[in-house]
Amino acid sequence: MSSENLHPETLAISSGRPAHQAGVGINVPISLNSTFVANGPINYGRTGNETWQSLEQAISALEEASATLLFSSGMAAITAAFSLLPHGAPVVASHEGYSGTMALLKRYHAEGRLEVRFVDITNTQEVISQLQGAVFLWVESPTNPGLGVAEVEVIIAEAKKRSIGVGFDNTFATPLNQKPLTFGADIVMHSVTKYLAGHSDVILGSLSTKDPALHARLQDARVSYGSIAGPFESWLALRGLRTFPLRYAKAQANAAALAKKLESHSAVTHVRYPGFGAIVSFVITGDAAAAERVCDSASLIMNATSLGGVETTWERRRRWPLESASVPENLIRLSVGCENVDDLWADIDTALTKA
Ligand SMILES: *Cc1c(COP(=O)(O)O)cnc(C)c1O
């Protein structure tokens, strides 16, 4: 059966398995080897690993990529992608995005390594006007933490019309909501740390492509920088990925329900939920200190950064000095997990009322 006909929940479970052979374990082993007997497919542990490859195959299947490369973190994957650009290259990127990406791009810009044109990625006309003469477009949609949504198919098509490379951070939406490679993006990046692994116990990143030449250049970057994944982390993430579609569907349904309830809570002034995904950002009536008290007042929901785990967490985003000043001081970002939605709502309501 061709994998093209299979649905995501089937692909997540069936991809990257060892050959169906008598006596062979159904899960890939954790390959703990730095070196290999000569003249085989893998020679050295920085250039390849059987456990990575299984996870890479599974991510490729979900993103409709021809190949995927695993990295030691999402930021290592992003750094490898930008490393392909020539010195001083003009790049268009959202002015609101993952704080680590924003810090990296600002540093590259300040150093003259890249000429970054920061835009409102949700403003299609502004994006198009800045594409003139650019060589690369970096898209994150929905944005973090404001959850703005870009017209992704339109801006990717406009970039490709101008032969501009497109990289896409698909961590929030995941391939269950959008597959940027099918819209023409060249590279899809994941912080595998988040939904794909899903249990808040590993840090990993990935880059997926449809273009073998681009894949080879990214692989060279990974070998040169040595930003490789650990075999155990890869195995854990693959174990997590088996249930990713189930977890994400549940978390997304919970998030949609909670966003609706937050809309009518008297202690909440604005709710940002793009209609999909499992992140909800909301602004409360009180100040920054009140928002901190809310985050500390729940009993189930943990006051913790990051997102995409089975457990629900929240935090006041501006507690991070790197977070954009355009993000309200009293904005709370809620990463919705897979608990019972009534239990979550009771916890949120109690925390909002207590604080
Ligand atoms: C977490 C995250 C990253 C960075 O990934 P790490 O695995 O933490 O290095 C990049 N983009 C988005 C949207 C993220 O949420």
Side-chain angles (χ1 to χ4, degrees):
M1 192 171 10
S2 158
S3 72
E4 271 145 50
N5 303 323
L6 298 176
H7 297 87
E9 58 272 44
T10 311
L11 291 172
I13 290 171
S14 62
S15 306
R17 296 272 182 195
H20 299 191
Q21 276 169 17
V24 172
I26 68 166
N27 293 303
V28 68
I30 303 172
S31 173
L32 294 171
N33 293 290
S34 64
T35 191
F36 299 79
V37 176
N39 305 316
I42 302 174
N43 290 302
Y44 185 53
R46 181 158 38 76
T47 59
N49 175 283
E50 185 190 0
T51 317
W52 304 347
Q53 284 171 1
S54 283
L55 176 55
E56 288 170 345
Q57 282 166 16
I59 296 172
S60 289
L62 290 167
E63 284 290 0
E64 295 190 34
S66 61
T68 293
L69 291 161
L70 211 56
F71 288 84
S72 51
S73 68
M75 287 313 301
I78 292 172
T79 306
F82 281 103
S83 78
L84 301 191
L85 298 174
H87 192 89
V91 171
V92 177
S94 172
H95 64 64
E96 181 185 281
Y98 179 67
S99 55
T101 312
M102 294 292 98
L104 182 73
L105 292 180
K106 282 176 190 158
R107 169 135 47 88
Y108 282 162
H109 185 76
E111 292 169 354
R113 163 82 184 79
L114 296 174
E115 179 216 310
V116 186
R117 304 170 181 174
F118 290 102
V119 296
D120 174 358
I121 203 81
T122 67
N123 181 337
T124 301
Q125 281 319 310
E126 186 184 336
V127 175
I128 291 172
S129 71
Q130 292 299 313
L131 287 175
Q132 186 61 40
V135 300
F136 196 57
L137 168 66
W138 181 257
V139 188
E140 190 185 314
S141 179
T143 62
N144 180 18
L147 302 175
V149 176
E151 288 187 274
V152 293
E153 288 184 65
V154 177
I155 61 175
I156 292 172
E158 290 291 331
K160 295 322 293 178
K161 246 197 267 175
R162 295 164 177 79
S163 303
I164 296 168
V166 178
F168 202 110
D169 182 339
N170 207 24
T171 301
F172 271 34
T174 83
L176 297 181
N177 284 307
Q178 62 193 13
K179 294 181 204 168
L181 294 175
T182 67
F183 306 151
D186 299 283
I187 300 173
V188 164
M189 173 262 159
H190 277 280
S191 170
V192 176
T193 312
K194 314 294 166 54
Y195 295 106
L196 300 187
H199 293 75
S200 308
D201 51 9
V202 295
I203 301 274
L204 284 177
S206 68
L207 296 177
S208 302
T209 58
K210 273 179 183 291
D211 173 356
L214 179 58
H215 173 77
R217 291 176 67 207
L218 292 167
Q219 187 157 28
D220 282 349
R222 183 175 70 177
V223 171
S224 302
Y225 299 132
S227 45
I228 57 168
F232 180 56
E233 285 78 359
S234 307
W235 190 92
L236 272 181
L238 180 59
R239 188 185 206 267
L241 187 106
R242 299 300 185 207
T243 55
F244 149 64
L246 283 172
R247 288 184 280 101
Y248 195 82
K250 170 76 175 172
Q252 188 164 245
N254 280 354
L258 294 177
K260 219 172 182 179
K261 285 181 180 288
L262 282 165
E263 295 261 5
S264 48
H265 198 286
S266 59
V268 174
T269 59
H270 293 285
V271 179
R272 302 185 193 172
Y273 180 66
F276 63 94
I279 308 287
V280 182
S281 290
F282 60 96
V283 179
I284 62 157
T285 47
D287 58 5
E292 289 290 353
R293 282 199 302 278
V294 170
C295 293
D296 282 331
S297 299
S299 53
L300 280 175
I301 303 175
M302 286 167 279
N303 182 2
T305 196
S306 195
L307 56 110
V310 287
E311 61 290 309
T312 302
T313 57
W314 58 8
E315 69 171 334
R316 185 178 76 86
R317 279 305 294 179
R318 282 290 297 283
R319 74 193 178 96
W320 297 104
L322 278 181
E323 187 57 85
S324 163
S326 61
V327 174
E329 280 280 4
N330 49 357
L331 178 141
I332 295 172
R333 189 186 70 186
L334 173 68
S335 168
V336 182
C338 300
E339 301 91 337
N340 177 281
V341 70
D342 297 329
D343 294 341
L344 288 175
W345 178 247
D347 204 32
I348 292 171
D349 186 33
T350 306
L352 282 170
T353 308
K354 236 201 298 193

